[in-house]
Amino acid sequence: MSITFNQLTKWIVRAAEQIMKQKNYLTELDQAIGDGDHGINLSRGFQEVVHNIQTLETDDIGQLFHTIGNTLIQKVGGASGPIYGIAFIKGGAILKGKKEITVSEFSQFLHKSVEAIKGIGKSEVGNKTVLDVWTPLADYLQEKGENIDWQEAISYCWEQAEKTKSMKAVKGRAAYLGERSIGHLDPGAVSSSFLFEALFETLGEGNEAK
Amino acid sequence: MKKLINDPEQVVRDMIDGILYAHPERLKNVPDTSVLVRADAPVHGKVALVSGGGSGHEPAHAGYVGKGMLDGAVCGEVFTSPTPDQVLEAIKAVDGGAGVLLVIKNYTGDVMNFEMAAELAEAEGIQVTKVIVNDDVAVENSTYTTGRRGIAGTVFVHKIAGAIADQGASLEEVERVALKVIDNVRSMGMALTPCTVPAAGKAGFEIPEDEMEIGMGIHGEPGTHRAKIESADTVADQLLSLVINDLNLQADDKVAVMLNSLGSTPQMELYVMNKTIGKVLQSKGIIVHKTYVGEFMTSLEMAGCSVSVLKLDEELTELLDAKADTLGWK
């Protein structure tokens, strides 16, 4: 099973729709433990991403991811912009020149992204951040490979986001709450889950989605 | 939400345009950006200072752009760090060939975006140094966490580093002085009411009518604790004690004090607060060189204030007293 350039474009359009739809929910999660702008900023960024990738004249997945990352860095702001942006730019670099990729290659992209996020955020798994979704998901996709069940992958993704509830934030603005951050979902982990849910839904529709 | 705005998404752009109509002799806009720079930028041969951050803290930071302080300010979305491309545009617009100092408030997003911009600028051959301000004693300092936030004390960094840059100092010297200010300034704030980010449309949190939040950040981030509201005497003493202890101030130390409104606390209340602050400092034998009272770094329409204390030596005193000509500081 391969993942095509067109499927990945469809993924991002779908993810953007979902993030815009969940704008208030994401912002509310952020108001509880951060500074209350996560949904607003991500919506602005993904709206621009959709605009930029639809005018992209290429079928190179590396270039697609570079454009996504660059747009997010330039349009989102805050910490989310650089984090999501660098994930797509540095992770996407390994997909340069590819028109279609395997599940295992997508998991390699995630592994690279995780390294980039750790670098820029100086954070680790368990710190109540996006890494708590991206990292386990990278391992999960690697383990499942071509035998993956997309519905199960969606559930797995949300289970990881749910786990951030019991974690204590030490990075980002939620860190100012310390112990008081426990009991709240991490907004970044939730937006990441919306992002990957959209991917798995797109891939679950199979190749008729071409 | 009850605000004098047009489109919530356009509020920063509208504000910048309004500033440009009001002060064209002082400030200019780098085309197609949210960057405001000195009208005479770049000043050749002078180290340039760039700061910025989310909007909603006016007069910070555009209000400090001018002779003797900042050369450029980057206005992000409300309470959201500006993006690297915008910061890069500011750096390019103010670089006069002697290098650029970035004054960054310590927030995860601000640090990331400004650092990315610094890398991009260096790749274009511009010498860039950055300092990170972390004056908020409400947050416990630790290398493991994000660390202390940058709040109103940042304005002292703009003033003093800006003054030495204006005297023709090298980038290294300007950085040294900026770091000295950062080492010697501490702040502590409190809030009575929340504020509303225009695009969110409702307040990010609530504070009951009879309560206050001690240590609240300038974006409504949580403070150290909630408490029943107390008299100005008690609150002033509480905020000041934390700052004095953290700075380890002793009798005969000389300081500058800044009493900053978070947006809707009137001057009357600030001066009522300052009565206690002045009295306590006097009783401890701490010499107040100057006191600044007003709006320096606000948090939209939040009611509340912050107290900043800067410990002065001869060099810092002289630079603090040097003339500056900006909207927010003269």
Side-chain angles (χ1 to χ4, degrees), chain B residues 21-58:
Chain B
Y21 275 115
H23 311 292
E25 74 294 351
R26 289 178 177 276
L27 298 168
K28 63 183 179 191
N29 186 208
V30 178
D32 305 316
T33 71
S34 58
V35 174
L36 288 166
V37 298
R38 282 170 68 154
D40 59 352
V43 182
H44 288 286
K46 186 186 89 72
V47 170
L49 275 75
V50 169
S51 190
S55 292
H57 305 303
E58 294 68 30

PDB file of all heavy atoms in Angstrom, chain B residues 21-58:
ATOM      1  N   TYR B  21      -0.764  56.988  11.299  1.00  0.00           N
ATOM      2  CA  TYR B  21      -1.439  58.272  11.067  1.00  0.00           C
ATOM      3  C   TYR B  21      -1.064  59.278  12.159  1.00  0.00           C
ATOM      4  O   TYR B  21      -0.919  60.469  11.907  1.00  0.00           O
ATOM      5  CB  TYR B  21      -2.973  58.097  11.047  1.00  0.00           C
ATOM      6  CG  TYR B  21      -3.507  57.687   9.695  1.00  0.00           C
ATOM      7  CD1 TYR B  21      -4.112  56.454   9.508  1.00  0.00           C
ATOM      8  CD2 TYR B  21      -3.398  58.552   8.604  1.00  0.00           C
ATOM      9  CE1 TYR B  21      -4.600  56.068   8.264  1.00  0.00           C
ATOM     10  CE2 TYR B  21      -3.890  58.179   7.355  1.00  0.00           C
ATOM     11  CZ  TYR B  21      -4.479  56.939   7.199  1.00  0.00           C
ATOM     12  OH  TYR B  21      -4.954  56.573   5.967  1.00  0.00           O
ATOM     13  N   ALA B  22      -0.914  58.777  13.392  1.00  0.00           N
ATOM     14  CA  ALA B  22      -0.644  59.681  14.518  1.00  0.00           C
ATOM     15  C   ALA B  22       0.798  60.153  14.569  1.00  0.00           C
ATOM     16  O   ALA B  22       1.060  61.293  14.945  1.00  0.00           O
ATOM     17  CB  ALA B  22      -1.012  58.988  15.832  1.00  0.00           C
ATOM     18  N   HIS B  23       1.740  59.286  14.230  1.00  0.00           N
ATOM     19  CA  HIS B  23       3.150  59.616  14.482  1.00  0.00           C
ATOM     20  C   HIS B  23       4.066  59.379  13.284  1.00  0.00           C
ATOM     21  O   HIS B  23       5.096  58.718  13.414  1.00  0.00           O
ATOM     22  CB  HIS B  23       3.657  58.798  15.684  1.00  0.00           C
ATOM     23  CG  HIS B  23       2.737  58.861  16.865  1.00  0.00           C
ATOM     24  ND1 HIS B  23       2.532  60.005  17.593  1.00  0.00           N
ATOM     25  CD2 HIS B  23       1.934  57.916  17.423  1.00  0.00           C
ATOM     26  CE1 HIS B  23       1.647  59.768  18.560  1.00  0.00           C
ATOM     27  NE2 HIS B  23       1.265  58.513  18.467  1.00  0.00           N
ATOM     28  N   PRO B  24       3.711  59.927  12.121  1.00  0.00           N
ATOM     29  CA  PRO B  24       4.534  59.657  10.935  1.00  0.00           C
ATOM     30  C   PRO B  24       5.945  60.239  11.051  1.00  0.00           C
ATOM     31  O   PRO B  24       6.863  59.767  10.382  1.00  0.00           O
ATOM     32  CB  PRO B  24       3.750  60.349   9.804  1.00  0.00           C
ATOM     33  CG  PRO B  24       2.942  61.393  10.481  1.00  0.00           C
ATOM     34  CD  PRO B  24       2.592  60.839  11.824  1.00  0.00           C
ATOM     35  N   GLU B  25       6.120  61.232  11.930  1.00  0.00           N
ATOM     36  CA  GLU B  25       7.450  61.833  12.060  1.00  0.00           C
ATOM     37  C   GLU B  25       8.380  60.929  12.863  1.00  0.00           C
ATOM     38  O   GLU B  25       9.589  61.069  12.810  1.00  0.00           O
ATOM     39  CB  GLU B  25       7.346  63.234  12.686  1.00  0.00           C
ATOM     40  CG  GLU B  25       7.049  63.302  14.184  1.00  0.00           C
ATOM     41  CD  GLU B  25       5.673  62.776  14.605  1.00  0.00           C
ATOM     42  OE1 GLU B  25       4.827  62.488  13.732  1.00  0.00           O
ATOM     43  OE2 GLU B  25       5.454  62.625  15.826  1.00  0.00           O
ATOM     44  N   ARG B  26       7.805  60.009  13.639  1.00  0.00           N
ATOM     45  CA  ARG B  26       8.609  59.150  14.506  1.00  0.00           C
ATOM     46  C   ARG B  26       8.815  57.751  13.948  1.00  0.00           C
ATOM     47  O   ARG B  26       9.873  57.152  14.099  1.00  0.00           O
ATOM     48  CB  ARG B  26       7.899  58.944  15.851  1.00  0.00           C
ATOM     49  CG  ARG B  26       7.860  60.136  16.727  1.00  0.00           C
ATOM     50  CD  ARG B  26       7.077  59.776  17.988  1.00  0.00           C
ATOM     51  NE  ARG B  26       7.086  60.888  18.903  1.00  0.00           N
ATOM     52  CZ  ARG B  26       8.073  61.127  19.745  1.00  0.00           C
ATOM     53  NH1 ARG B  26       9.103  60.306  19.801  1.00  0.00           N
ATOM     54  NH2 ARG B  26       8.028  62.173  20.537  1.00  0.00           N
ATOM     55  N   LEU B  27       7.734  57.196  13.370  1.00  0.00           N
ATOM     56  CA  LEU B  27       7.746  55.775  13.045  1.00  0.00           C
ATOM     57  C   LEU B  27       7.401  55.522  11.596  1.00  0.00           C
ATOM     58  O   LEU B  27       6.622  56.265  10.992  1.00  0.00           O
ATOM     59  CB  LEU B  27       6.719  55.036  13.919  1.00  0.00           C
ATOM     60  CG  LEU B  27       6.952  55.085  15.428  1.00  0.00           C
ATOM     61  CD1 LEU B  27       5.719  54.589  16.165  1.00  0.00           C
ATOM     62  CD2 LEU B  27       8.162  54.246  15.800  1.00  0.00           C
ATOM     63  N   LYS B  28       7.983  54.466  11.033  1.00  0.00           N
ATOM     64  CA  LYS B  28       7.546  54.018   9.713  1.00  0.00           C
ATOM     65  C   LYS B  28       7.343  52.511   9.739  1.00  0.00           C
ATOM     66  O   LYS B  28       7.890  51.808  10.584  1.00  0.00           O
ATOM     67  CB  LYS B  28       8.534  54.454   8.626  1.00  0.00           C
ATOM     68  CG  LYS B  28       9.924  53.875   8.759  1.00  0.00           C
ATOM     69  CD  LYS B  28      10.857  54.424   7.673  1.00  0.00           C
ATOM     70  CE  LYS B  28      12.268  53.840   7.854  1.00  0.00           C
ATOM     71  NZ  LYS B  28      13.285  54.477   7.033  1.00  0.00           N
ATOM     72  N   ASN B  29       6.539  52.051   8.799  1.00  0.00           N
ATOM     73  CA  ASN B  29       6.172  50.641   8.715  1.00  0.00           C
ATOM     74  C   ASN B  29       6.980  49.996   7.603  1.00  0.00           C
ATOM     75  O   ASN B  29       7.060  50.544   6.509  1.00  0.00           O
ATOM     76  CB  ASN B  29       4.672  50.579   8.385  1.00  0.00           C
ATOM     77  CG  ASN B  29       4.095  49.179   8.398  1.00  0.00           C
ATOM     78  OD1 ASN B  29       3.139  48.910   7.706  1.00  0.00           O
ATOM     79  ND2 ASN B  29       4.642  48.274   9.180  1.00  0.00           N
ATOM     80  N   VAL B  30       7.611  48.858   7.895  1.00  0.00           N
ATOM     81  CA  VAL B  30       8.264  48.122   6.810  1.00  0.00           C
ATOM     82  C   VAL B  30       7.136  47.561   5.945  1.00  0.00           C
ATOM     83  O   VAL B  30       6.271  46.849   6.467  1.00  0.00           O
ATOM     84  CB  VAL B  30       9.156  46.991   7.368  1.00  0.00           C
ATOM     85  CG1 VAL B  30       9.793  46.195   6.240  1.00  0.00           C
ATOM     86  CG2 VAL B  30      10.216  47.560   8.311  1.00  0.00           C
ATOM     87  N   PRO B  31       7.108  47.890   4.651  1.00  0.00           N
ATOM     88  CA  PRO B  31       5.959  47.506   3.806  1.00  0.00           C
ATOM     89  C   PRO B  31       5.585  46.021   3.917  1.00  0.00           C
ATOM     90  O   PRO B  31       6.465  45.165   3.990  1.00  0.00           O
ATOM     91  CB  PRO B  31       6.447  47.835   2.393  1.00  0.00           C
ATOM     92  CG  PRO B  31       7.482  48.890   2.582  1.00  0.00           C
ATOM     93  CD  PRO B  31       8.129  48.622   3.898  1.00  0.00           C
ATOM     94  N   ASP B  32       4.299  45.754   3.953  1.00  0.00           N
ATOM     95  CA  ASP B  32       3.754  44.394   4.021  1.00  0.00           C
ATOM     96  C   ASP B  32       4.185  43.610   5.252  1.00  0.00           C
ATOM     97  O   ASP B  32       4.287  42.385   5.211  1.00  0.00           O
ATOM     98  CB  ASP B  32       4.115  43.586   2.755  1.00  0.00           C
ATOM     99  CG  ASP B  32       3.665  44.297   1.499  1.00  0.00           C
ATOM    100  OD1 ASP B  32       2.527  44.800   1.498  1.00  0.00           O
ATOM    101  OD2 ASP B  32       4.458  44.373   0.542  1.00  0.00           O
ATOM    102  N   THR B  33       4.471  44.297   6.351  1.00  0.00           N
ATOM    103  CA  THR B  33       4.818  43.599   7.590  1.00  0.00           C
ATOM    104  C   THR B  33       4.092  44.273   8.748  1.00  0.00           C
ATOM    105  O   THR B  33       3.462  45.310   8.578  1.00  0.00           O
ATOM    106  CB  THR B  33       6.321  43.699   7.917  1.00  0.00           C
ATOM    107  OG1 THR B  33       6.610  45.054   8.313  1.00  0.00           O
ATOM    108  CG2 THR B  33       7.194  43.327   6.738  1.00  0.00           C
ATOM    109  N   SER B  34       4.238  43.678   9.929  1.00  0.00           N
ATOM    110  CA  SER B  34       3.716  44.317  11.140  1.00  0.00           C
ATOM    111  C   SER B  34       4.892  44.850  11.955  1.00  0.00           C
ATOM    112  O   SER B  34       4.913  44.749  13.167  1.00  0.00           O
ATOM    113  CB  SER B  34       2.897  43.323  11.942  1.00  0.00           C
ATOM    114  OG  SER B  34       3.699  42.210  12.266  1.00  0.00           O
ATOM    115  N   VAL B  35       5.877  45.384  11.242  1.00  0.00           N
ATOM    116  CA  VAL B  35       7.089  45.905  11.871  1.00  0.00           C
ATOM    117  C   VAL B  35       7.066  47.426  11.839  1.00  0.00           C
ATOM    118  O   VAL B  35       6.813  48.027  10.795  1.00  0.00           O
ATOM    119  CB  VAL B  35       8.338  45.401  11.102  1.00  0.00           C
ATOM    120  CG1 VAL B  35       9.604  46.052  11.650  1.00  0.00           C
ATOM    121  CG2 VAL B  35       8.435  43.886  11.171  1.00  0.00           C
ATOM    122  N   LEU B  36       7.329  48.046  13.000  1.00  0.00           N
ATOM    123  CA  LEU B  36       7.462  49.489  13.071  1.00  0.00           C
ATOM    124  C   LEU B  36       8.910  49.818  13.434  1.00  0.00           C
ATOM    125  O   LEU B  36       9.459  49.244  14.371  1.00  0.00           O
ATOM    126  CB  LEU B  36       6.507  50.082  14.116  1.00  0.00           C
ATOM    127  CG  LEU B  36       5.026  50.060  13.720  1.00  0.00           C
ATOM    128  CD1 LEU B  36       4.138  50.329  14.924  1.00  0.00           C
ATOM    129  CD2 LEU B  36       4.751  51.087  12.614  1.00  0.00           C
ATOM    130  N   VAL B  37       9.507  50.736  12.688  1.00  0.00           N
ATOM    131  CA  VAL B  37      10.902  51.115  12.957  1.00  0.00           C
ATOM    132  C   VAL B  37      10.995  52.636  13.057  1.00  0.00           C
ATOM    133  O   VAL B  37      10.072  53.364  12.667  1.00  0.00           O
ATOM    134  CB  VAL B  37      11.871  50.591  11.862  1.00  0.00           C
ATOM    135  CG1 VAL B  37      11.844  49.080  11.805  1.00  0.00           C
ATOM    136  CG2 VAL B  37      11.546  51.188  10.502  1.00  0.00           C
ATOM    137  N   ARG B  38      12.140  53.098  13.594  1.00  0.00           N
ATOM    138  CA  ARG B  38      12.386  54.536  13.661  1.00  0.00           C
ATOM    139  C   ARG B  38      12.267  55.143  12.274  1.00  0.00           C
ATOM    140  O   ARG B  38      12.708  54.552  11.287  1.00  0.00           O
ATOM    141  CB  ARG B  38      13.829  54.776  14.126  1.00  0.00           C
ATOM    142  CG  ARG B  38      14.047  54.619  15.587  1.00  0.00           C
ATOM    143  CD  ARG B  38      15.527  54.641  15.902  1.00  0.00           C
ATOM    144  NE  ARG B  38      16.132  55.962  15.664  1.00  0.00           N
ATOM    145  CZ  ARG B  38      17.228  56.396  16.298  1.00  0.00           C
ATOM    146  NH1 ARG B  38      17.826  55.615  17.198  1.00  0.00           N
ATOM    147  NH2 ARG B  38      17.734  57.566  16.048  1.00  0.00           N
ATOM    148  N   ALA B  39      11.742  56.353  12.195  1.00  0.00           N
ATOM    149  CA  ALA B  39      11.570  57.004  10.901  1.00  0.00           C
ATOM    150  C   ALA B  39      12.915  57.180  10.204  1.00  0.00           C
ATOM    151  O   ALA B  39      12.988  57.168   8.975  1.00  0.00           O
ATOM    152  CB  ALA B  39      10.887  58.351  11.086  1.00  0.00           C
ATOM    153  N   ASP B  40      14.004  57.298  11.004  1.00  0.00           N
ATOM    154  CA  ASP B  40      15.321  57.499  10.394  1.00  0.00           C
ATOM    155  C   ASP B  40      16.133  56.206  10.302  1.00  0.00           C
ATOM    156  O   ASP B  40      17.341  56.236  10.104  1.00  0.00           O
ATOM    157  CB  ASP B  40      16.106  58.574  11.163  1.00  0.00           C
ATOM    158  CG  ASP B  40      16.293  58.203  12.636  1.00  0.00           C
ATOM    159  OD1 ASP B  40      15.692  57.196  13.088  1.00  0.00           O
ATOM    160  OD2 ASP B  40      17.044  58.902  13.330  1.00  0.00           O
ATOM    161  N   ALA B  41      15.488  55.053  10.459  1.00  0.00           N
ATOM    162  CA  ALA B  41      16.199  53.764  10.381  1.00  0.00           C
ATOM    163  C   ALA B  41      16.603  53.479   8.932  1.00  0.00           C
ATOM    164  O   ALA B  41      15.862  53.855   8.017  1.00  0.00           O
ATOM    165  CB  ALA B  41      15.315  52.636  10.894  1.00  0.00           C
ATOM    166  N   PRO B  42      17.735  52.809   8.718  1.00  0.00           N
ATOM    167  CA  PRO B  42      18.722  52.387   9.711  1.00  0.00           C
ATOM    168  C   PRO B  42      19.679  53.520  10.073  1.00  0.00           C
ATOM    169  O   PRO B  42      20.012  54.329   9.218  1.00  0.00           O
ATOM    170  CB  PRO B  42      19.479  51.267   8.987  1.00  0.00           C
ATOM    171  CG  PRO B  42      19.387  51.620   7.539  1.00  0.00           C
ATOM    172  CD  PRO B  42      18.100  52.367   7.363  1.00  0.00           C
ATOM    173  N   VAL B  43      20.086  53.547  11.341  1.00  0.00           N
ATOM    174  CA  VAL B  43      21.057  54.556  11.775  1.00  0.00           C
ATOM    175  C   VAL B  43      22.452  53.972  11.550  1.00  0.00           C
ATOM    176  O   VAL B  43      22.821  52.992  12.197  1.00  0.00           O
ATOM    177  CB  VAL B  43      20.850  54.928  13.255  1.00  0.00           C
ATOM    178  CG1 VAL B  43      21.831  56.012  13.674  1.00  0.00           C
ATOM    179  CG2 VAL B  43      19.415  55.371  13.504  1.00  0.00           C
ATOM    180  N   HIS B  44      23.185  54.559  10.611  1.00  0.00           N
ATOM    181  CA  HIS B  44      24.458  53.964  10.207  1.00  0.00           C
ATOM    182  C   HIS B  44      25.488  53.978  11.324  1.00  0.00           C
ATOM    183  O   HIS B  44      25.659  54.970  12.021  1.00  0.00           O
ATOM    184  CB  HIS B  44      24.990  54.638   8.949  1.00  0.00           C
ATOM    185  CG  HIS B  44      24.169  54.246   7.752  1.00  0.00           C
ATOM    186  ND1 HIS B  44      24.259  52.995   7.184  1.00  0.00           N
ATOM    187  CD2 HIS B  44      23.201  54.904   7.092  1.00  0.00           C
ATOM    188  CE1 HIS B  44      23.379  52.914   6.197  1.00  0.00           C
ATOM    189  NE2 HIS B  44      22.721  54.057   6.123  1.00  0.00           N
ATOM    190  N   GLY B  45      26.141  52.830  11.502  1.00  0.00           N
ATOM    191  CA  GLY B  45      27.218  52.717  12.481  1.00  0.00           C
ATOM    192  C   GLY B  45      26.756  52.497  13.912  1.00  0.00           C
ATOM    193  O   GLY B  45      27.581  52.296  14.799  1.00  0.00           O
ATOM    194  N   LYS B  46      25.443  52.509  14.159  1.00  0.00           N
ATOM    195  CA  LYS B  46      24.937  52.298  15.522  1.00  0.00           C
ATOM    196  C   LYS B  46      24.411  50.867  15.678  1.00  0.00           C
ATOM    197  O   LYS B  46      23.799  50.333  14.758  1.00  0.00           O
ATOM    198  CB  LYS B  46      23.788  53.280  15.812  1.00  0.00           C
ATOM    199  CG  LYS B  46      23.298  53.236  17.261  1.00  0.00           C
ATOM    200  CD  LYS B  46      22.066  54.114  17.484  1.00  0.00           C
ATOM    201  CE  LYS B  46      20.758  53.377  17.237  1.00  0.00           C
ATOM    202  NZ  LYS B  46      20.412  52.396  18.263  1.00  0.00           N
ATOM    203  N   VAL B  47      24.670  50.274  16.828  1.00  0.00           N
ATOM    204  CA  VAL B  47      24.051  48.983  17.130  1.00  0.00           C
ATOM    205  C   VAL B  47      22.541  49.212  17.206  1.00  0.00           C
ATOM    206  O   VAL B  47      22.083  50.159  17.847  1.00  0.00           O
ATOM    207  CB  VAL B  47      24.568  48.423  18.474  1.00  0.00           C
ATOM    208  CG1 VAL B  47      23.745  47.212  18.912  1.00  0.00           C
ATOM    209  CG2 VAL B  47      26.045  48.054  18.362  1.00  0.00           C
ATOM    210  N   ALA B  48      21.784  48.361  16.536  1.00  0.00           N
ATOM    211  CA  ALA B  48      20.327  48.526  16.534  1.00  0.00           C
ATOM    212  C   ALA B  48      19.686  47.556  17.521  1.00  0.00           C
ATOM    213  O   ALA B  48      20.180  46.447  17.727  1.00  0.00           O
ATOM    214  CB  ALA B  48      19.784  48.287  15.132  1.00  0.00           C
ATOM    215  N   LEU B  49      18.603  47.985  18.131  1.00  0.00           N
ATOM    216  CA  LEU B  49      17.863  47.117  19.055  1.00  0.00           C
ATOM    217  C   LEU B  49      16.485  46.794  18.481  1.00  0.00           C
ATOM    218  O   LEU B  49      15.780  47.691  18.017  1.00  0.00           O
ATOM    219  CB  LEU B  49      17.649  47.816  20.402  1.00  0.00           C
ATOM    220  CG  LEU B  49      18.777  47.715  21.437  1.00  0.00           C
ATOM    221  CD1 LEU B  49      19.930  48.619  21.054  1.00  0.00           C
ATOM    222  CD2 LEU B  49      18.263  48.058  22.819  1.00  0.00           C
ATOM    223  N   VAL B  50      16.149  45.508  18.515  1.00  0.00           N
ATOM    224  CA  VAL B  50      14.822  45.080  18.060  1.00  0.00           C
ATOM    225  C   VAL B  50      14.166  44.301  19.185  1.00  0.00           C
ATOM    226  O   VAL B  50      14.788  43.439  19.804  1.00  0.00           O
ATOM    227  CB  VAL B  50      14.927  44.184  16.805  1.00  0.00           C
ATOM    228  CG1 VAL B  50      13.582  43.524  16.503  1.00  0.00           C
ATOM    229  CG2 VAL B  50      15.396  44.988  15.602  1.00  0.00           C
ATOM    230  N   SER B  51      12.923  44.637  19.471  1.00  0.00           N
ATOM    231  CA  SER B  51      12.159  43.818  20.404  1.00  0.00           C
ATOM    232  C   SER B  51      10.782  43.573  19.786  1.00  0.00           C
ATOM    233  O   SER B  51      10.534  43.941  18.650  1.00  0.00           O
ATOM    234  CB  SER B  51      12.043  44.489  21.763  1.00  0.00           C
ATOM    235  OG  SER B  51      11.506  43.584  22.704  1.00  0.00           O
ATOM    236  N   GLY B  52       9.936  42.980  20.549  1.00  0.00           N
ATOM    237  CA  GLY B  52       8.609  42.694  20.011  1.00  0.00           C
ATOM    238  C   GLY B  52       7.996  41.553  20.772  1.00  0.00           C
ATOM    239  O   GLY B  52       8.536  41.083  21.769  1.00  0.00           O
ATOM    240  N   GLY B  53       6.851  41.138  20.299  1.00  0.00           N
ATOM    241  CA  GLY B  53       6.123  40.083  20.974  1.00  0.00           C
ATOM    242  C   GLY B  53       4.691  40.173  20.516  1.00  0.00           C
ATOM    243  O   GLY B  53       4.388  40.854  19.534  1.00  0.00           O
ATOM    244  N   GLY B  54       3.821  39.517  21.259  1.00  0.00           N
ATOM    245  CA  GLY B  54       2.416  39.630  20.929  1.00  0.00           C
ATOM    246  C   GLY B  54       1.955  41.063  21.134  1.00  0.00           C
ATOM    247  O   GLY B  54       2.543  41.800  21.914  1.00  0.00           O
ATOM    248  N   SER B  55       0.896  41.463  20.429  1.00  0.00           N
ATOM    249  CA  SER B  55       0.325  42.787  20.662  1.00  0.00           C
ATOM    250  C   SER B  55      -0.610  42.712  21.871  1.00  0.00           C
ATOM    251  O   SER B  55      -0.868  41.636  22.401  1.00  0.00           O
ATOM    252  CB  SER B  55      -0.419  43.262  19.425  1.00  0.00           C
ATOM    253  OG  SER B  55       0.505  43.495  18.385  1.00  0.00           O
ATOM    254  N   GLY B  56      -1.103  43.887  22.294  1.00  0.00           N
ATOM    255  CA  GLY B  56      -1.983  43.909  23.458  1.00  0.00           C
ATOM    256  C   GLY B  56      -1.279  44.402  24.708  1.00  0.00           C
ATOM    257  O   GLY B  56      -1.882  44.455  25.778  1.00  0.00           O
ATOM    258  N   HIS B  57       0.025  44.734  24.567  1.00  0.00           N
ATOM    259  CA  HIS B  57       0.810  45.197  25.708  1.00  0.00           C
ATOM    260  C   HIS B  57       1.194  46.667  25.581  1.00  0.00           C
ATOM    261  O   HIS B  57       2.113  47.131  26.246  1.00  0.00           O
ATOM    262  CB  HIS B  57       2.088  44.374  25.854  1.00  0.00           C
ATOM    263  CG  HIS B  57       1.854  42.908  25.950  1.00  0.00           C
ATOM    264  ND1 HIS B  57       1.048  42.365  26.920  1.00  0.00           N
ATOM    265  CD2 HIS B  57       2.299  41.865  25.202  1.00  0.00           C
ATOM    266  CE1 HIS B  57       1.018  41.046  26.762  1.00  0.00           C
ATOM    267  NE2 HIS B  57       1.758  40.727  25.719  1.00  0.00           N
ATOM    268  N   GLU B  58       0.536  47.395  24.695  1.00  0.00           N
ATOM    269  CA  GLU B  58       0.923  48.761  24.394  1.00  0.00           C
ATOM    270  C   GLU B  58       1.000  49.597  25.691  1.00  0.00           C
ATOM    271  O   GLU B  58       0.161  49.408  26.574  1.00  0.00           O
ATOM    272  CB  GLU B  58      -0.081  49.362  23.399  1.00  0.00           C
ATOM    273  CG  GLU B  58      -0.043  48.688  22.026  1.00  0.00           C
ATOM    274  CD  GLU B  58      -0.538  47.253  22.035  1.00  0.00           C
ATOM    275  OE1 GLU B  58      -1.411  46.921  22.873  1.00  0.00           O
ATOM    276  OE2 GLU B  58      -0.061  46.431  21.248  1.00  0.00           O
TER     277      GLU B  58
END
